[in-house]
């Protein structure tokens, strides 16, 4: 599980269950742990910085946010045992 925060103001954006290794370039809406989901672009609730743009990942026909480079910070959160 990843904790996603705004790179600008460090506000919490969501928790995210990443599938597969490698860079986090997009976040699928069905793997985001937040109640703030919209079909608009992803925006920081605190500083209103634009973090990513809404897209449909065509290979899987899944709604996702394409993250802008350097827009968010990621920290690994270990699941409770
Ligand atoms: Zn922010």
């Amino acid at each position: 599980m990843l904790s996603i925060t705004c790179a600008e103001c460090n506000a919490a954006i969501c928790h995210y269950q990443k599938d597969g290794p490698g860079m986090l370039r997009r976040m699928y809406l069905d793997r985001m742990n937040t109640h703030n989901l919209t079909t608009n672009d992803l925006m920081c609730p605190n500083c209103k910085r634009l973090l990513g743009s809404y897209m449909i990942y065509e290979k899987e026909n899944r709604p996702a946010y394409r993250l802008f480079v350097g827009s968010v910070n990621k920290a690994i959160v270990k699941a409770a045992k």
Side-chain angles (χ1 to χ4, degrees), residues 6 8-9 11 44 46-47:
C6 174
E8 186 75 27
C9 71
C44 174
N46 185 47
C47 71

Side-chain angles (χ1 to χ4, degrees), residues 23 49 51 66-72:
M23 291 259 300
R49 177 183 164 131
L51 305 175
R66 182 187 295 112
L67 295 173
F68 298 136
V69 174
S71 63
V72 298

Side-chain angles (χ1 to χ4, degrees), residues 27 29 37-42 50-57 61-68:
M27 293 197 295
L29 271 65
L37 295 179
T38 69
T39 54
N40 297 317
D41 292 341
L42 184 64
L50 200 56
L51 305 175
S53 59
Y54 182 79
M55 61 175 283
I56 300 291
Y57 184 55
N61 196 30
R62 268 167 102 186
Y65 290 118
R66 182 187 295 112
L67 295 173
F68 298 136

